[in-house]
Amino acid sequence: MTQDEERRAPDAEAGDGQAPEEKPAQEAEQKSARPERPERPARPDRPERPARPERAAKAAGADGEKPARRVPPKGKDKEEEKPKELSPRHKEFIARLQQAFAGVDFQGRENPDGELAITVPADKWSDVAVHLRDQEGLNYLRSISGVDWKDRLSSVYHLTQVPLPGQGEVPAEGLFRLAVHVDVDRDNPVLPSVFEVWPAADFQEREIFDMFGIRFTGHPNLKTLLLPPNWQGGYPLRKDFVDKRPKRQRLVRPR
């Protein structure tokens, strides 16, 4: 007897001569003979959870009708668009700026996150930038953003004050944050560079020059940063930009 025949012999003895077709029938009878599991009784110490509103709405529309959509009352959006009143801290800051630069309307307003935003004319931006750093202590330029408003371009400077060693601790109301909007003509976008005021403006002004075409006079190395040096296809982040490059053939990997 071979090894395979020896392995098969115990299996044949364990079957007691029953045909293999009878086993599935016996297993089905055993499953049907099992007693059903009784339902779990409710616990009186646990109150019943209230139905969620969205589930109740679905149940109400079970006959095929969608539940009525909630419509906000008229005039509510206009009320939410009203400018937020400036905090006392921001009012004092605007008053100091207007005292230093008489006749300039800074249009102070607060962003939704509580940051103060002002608008500075392009011809006053160099003097205002030095004042913000030296007199107001805004010594850190967090970022510069370019914006295309279709009728004009804007450069937005996000400033804050970082306490240096020996200059005290962070005030209880938090670090002062300021967003400065400077608008320029769309056809001739020129702004003075603030590299000498905040050296962090180096690469950020070059990126805005790349993407929006705003030229920053006085920048020590104003050249393309993200686009190739011979790029002549326009400014990619302007809203009127049209990519005139030939479309690449899409390659599909064979399956």
Side-chain angles (χ1 to χ4, degrees), residues 146-154 186 212 237-241:
V147 184
D148 183 2
W149 299 103
K150 293 186 177 181
D151 60 338
R152 68 189 188 282
L153 299 176
S154 294
R186 186 183 182 86
F212 292 92
L237 291 187
R238 286 198 184 188
K239 293 184 178 179
D240 58 353
F241 172 73

Side-chain angles (χ1 to χ4, degrees), residues 15-26:
D16 295 335
Q18 295 179 357
E21 290 80 3
E22 297 178 359
K23 288 185 179 181
Q26 290 181 357

Side-chain angles (χ1 to χ4, degrees), residues 3-254:
Q3 292 182 356
D4 294 340
E5 292 176 351
E6 291 178 356
R7 291 176 182 172
R8 294 171 184 171
D11 296 339
E13 294 175 359
D16 295 335
Q18 295 179 357
E21 290 80 3
E22 297 178 359
K23 288 185 179 181
Q26 290 181 357
E27 292 177 358
E29 292 178 0
Q30 291 177 0
K31 290 182 180 179
S32 61
R34 292 177 185 175
E36 296 183 358
R37 184 177 296 177
E39 296 183 0
R40 184 177 297 178
R43 296 181 57 175
D45 56 336
R46 237 180 231 189
E48 186 179 355
R49 292 183 180 179
R52 294 181 180 178
E54 57 270 17
R55 292 181 180 177
K58 288 182 180 179
D63 55 351
E65 297 181 359
K66 294 184 178 181
R69 185 177 180 182
R70 183 184 174 191
V71 180
K74 294 182 179 180
K76 186 176 181 181
D77 296 339
K78 295 182 180 179
E79 294 178 0
E80 294 178 354
E81 293 178 358
K82 290 182 179 180
K84 184 180 179 183
E85 185 179 358
L86 296 180
S87 64
R89 186 185 188 188
H90 292 162
K91 288 181 179 180
E92 294 176 2
F93 180 85
I94 295 295
R96 292 195 301 268
L97 279 182
Q98 291 177 343
Q99 185 177 1
F101 300 93
V104 178
D105 183 14
F106 291 99
Q107 304 175 18
R109 66 269 186 198
E110 285 188 2
N111 293 333
D113 60 350
E115 180 185 40
L116 178 63
I118 62 174
T119 300
V120 177
D123 57 343
K124 300 287 185 181
W125 174 224
S126 296
D127 298 334
V128 173
V130 175
H131 175 84
L132 293 176
R133 183 196 62 182
D134 297 341
Q135 303 301 324
E136 300 297 339
L138 297 173
N139 55 359
Y140 182 64
L141 175 65
R142 294 188 295 155
S143 64
I144 308 177
S145 305
V147 184
D148 183 2
W149 299 103
K150 293 186 177 181
D151 60 338
R152 68 189 188 282
L153 299 176
S154 294
S155 185
V156 185
Y157 302 79
H158 299 272
L159 307 170
T160 189
Q161 47 187 192
V162 177
L164 300 177
Q167 293 186 356
E169 299 179 354
V170 178
E173 59 270 21
L175 296 175
F176 189 85
R177 296 179 301 149
L178 179 68
V180 183
H181 296 248
V182 186
D183 297 338
V184 292
D185 184 19
R186 186 183 182 86
D187 298 329
N188 185 28
V190 180
L191 274 178
S193 174
V194 292
F195 172 78
E196 298 295 336
V197 183
W198 299 289
D202 184 5
F203 283 8
Q204 300 184 59
E205 288 182 346
R206 288 178 57 186
E207 182 180 357
I208 294 176
F209 170 69
D210 252 358
M211 299 291 108
F212 292 92
I214 300 177
R215 298 188 299 275
F216 296 91
T217 58
H219 192 284
N221 188 27
L222 190 63
K223 60 181 182 181
T224 58
L225 178 67
L226 303 177
L227 299 176
N230 58 346
W231 175 262
Q232 296 181 357
Y235 305 106
L237 291 187
R238 286 198 184 188
K239 293 184 178 179
D240 58 353
F241 172 73
V242 178
D243 192 357
K244 299 180 180 179
R245 295 176 297 175
K247 292 185 178 180
R248 298 181 180 179
Q249 183 181 1
R250 183 177 179 183
L251 300 179
V252 181
R253 180 181 297 178

